[in-house]
Amino acid sequence: MQPIQTLFDLRGRSVVITGAGQGIGRTFAKSFAQAGATVVLAEMNELKAKTVADEITSQGGKAVVIATDVGNHASTQKMAAQVRAQLGKADVLINNAGIFSSLKMRPFEQIPDDEWERVLHVNITGVFNCCRALTPLLRASASGRIINISSGAITLGRPNYLHYTTSKAALLGLTRSLARELGPAAITVNAILPGSTHTEIERETVTPQQRQHIVEMQCIPRVQVPEDLVGTAMFLASDASAFLTGQGITVDGGATHT
Ligand SMILES: NC(=O)c1ccc[n+]([C@@H]2O[C@H](COP(=O)([O-])OP(=O)(O)OC[C@H]3O[C@@H](n4cnc5c(N)ncnc54)[C@H](O)[C@@H]3O)[C@@H](O)[C@H]2O)c1
């Protein structure tokens, strides 16, 4: 058994966070950097990622931006090659990128075909691409970790973004099966299911009444913020969770009980 003092120690870990230019990914990047990890912001919006990286480095943290489209196989392979070249290793992959805040909530019959395809592609195939690209590096780590950001919307069966909930439900199957494939390499694969989380990004089709309704469903009746997810992500990234794999952990203030 390793010393208790090091169980949650993330110093020196190389943590790749997709979609870290805003919202939850941005908070993950800043928090992991504060914990002493070197964070890789694998983001399509390079400008936003650079702003986050500048915030991190100005506070003494270590951050690298790699422009990445998770939906593009070649782009994710290139990202992994750059991680290898610049950091020499990857210990943790947080699959956070997704098409989410830009989505208009609407009845499923009104979802255009191309939007359906795009959401499933980025939110599912994007995770597959990143897992595939980074697994060689994760295998070489003593503490390989994959953390997939699913959603509590799949437990609730939230209506009006059927492509989104379908894509996030797929991540649970992916998590469970990949955990079996990568378990022999001691790489853990888990999912976090966040409840509705208020970020700096406004969502035009979510009304104040809907927000209030969600808060009322929670055991802890206050608005959920990205910081509420950090502790669980850090636990799943740390040595403390080395024997926990294939699980989905809901962090939603108790809105749902699974
Ligand atoms: N905020 C919530 O209420 C909530 C709840 C449950 C789950 N989630 C999930 O958590 C994650 C982050 O949520 P958020 O609220 O910060 O979302 P967001 O929409 O604000 O941010 C998503 C980020 O992913 C990036 N991105 C999108 N497509 C990409 C691609 N192809 N390649 C690389 N980057 C890409 C975007 O540029 C953006 O920076 C998402 O997967 C989301 O589905 C969010």
Side-chain angles (χ1 to χ4, degrees):
M1 166 105 187
Q2 77 183 80
I4 293 292
Q5 292 84 343
T6 65
L7 271 184
F8 293 94
D9 193 355
L10 296 170
R11 285 175 299 172
R13 299 281 160 94
S14 166
V15 180
V16 178
I17 306 168
T18 66
Q22 68 183 44
I24 292 171
R26 171 173 175 260
T27 298
F28 281 161
K30 290 165 74 171
S31 305
F32 275 84
Q34 270 174 31
T38 300
V39 295
V40 175
L41 294 87
E43 163 73 61
M44 200 161 68
N45 188 329
E46 204 176 350
L47 204 63
K48 281 199 162 188
K50 282 198 168 132
T51 305
V52 179
D54 286 347
E55 277 182 77
I56 291 170
T57 50
S58 70
Q59 287 164 14
K62 293 184 190 133
V64 173
V65 173
I66 303 180
T68 310
D69 175 358
V70 299
N72 181 301
H73 168 66
S75 175
T76 56
Q77 293 291 330
K78 204 168 134 206
M79 177 267 284
Q82 280 181 256
V83 171
R84 188 189 288 276
Q86 291 186 44
L87 303 181
K89 65 169 190 160
D91 301 298
V92 182
L93 164 63
I94 305 184
N95 284 307
N96 166 82
I99 300 183
F100 172 65
S101 60
S102 55
L103 284 175
K104 284 191 172 37
M105 295 187 81
R106 51 186 154 201
F108 80 95
E109 300 101 319
Q110 294 170 21
I111 295 175
D113 283 358
D114 62 338
E115 187 177 295
W116 174 270
E117 301 287 349
R118 199 162 50 86
V119 170
L120 294 193
H121 183 75
V122 171
N123 292 9
I124 303 173
T125 309
V127 173
F128 167 63
N129 283 338
C130 291
C131 291
R132 188 172 44 173
L134 282 169
T135 287
L137 284 171
L138 295 172
R139 281 187 193 279
S141 167
S143 314
R145 302 276 184 272
I146 295 176
I147 303 168
N148 297 320
I149 307 303
S150 174
S151 173
I154 71 174
T155 316
L156 276 173
R158 276 192 83 196
N160 294 327
Y161 46 3
L162 196 68
H163 41 8
Y164 176 76
T165 52
T166 302
S167 72
K168 292 295 173 178
L171 294 189
L172 273 195
L174 183 151
T175 296
R176 290 172 182 156
S177 294
L178 195 57
R180 293 210 181 268
E181 290 200 38
L182 294 180
I187 299 170
T188 70
V189 187
N190 291 292
I192 297 177
L193 285 70
S196 183
T197 306
H198 189 66
T199 74
E200 78 281 9
I201 307 298
E202 286 306 322
R203 295 179 56 213
E204 59 180 274
T205 48
V206 178
T207 63
Q209 290 78 8
Q210 282 170 327
R211 285 201 187 290
Q212 183 55 28
H213 175 64
I214 287 165
V215 167
E216 282 164 9
M217 284 171 59
Q218 297 167 190
C219 297
I220 301 168
R222 64 156 172 80
V223 170
Q224 178 164 349
V225 290
E227 287 74 10
D228 290 318
L229 301 163
V230 168
T232 305
M234 286 191 171
F235 166 62
L236 291 176
S238 73
D239 290 347
S241 63
F243 204 59
L244 190 161
T245 194
Q247 307 301 315
I249 301 182
T250 301
V251 183
D252 66 357
T256 56
H257 296 156
T258 49

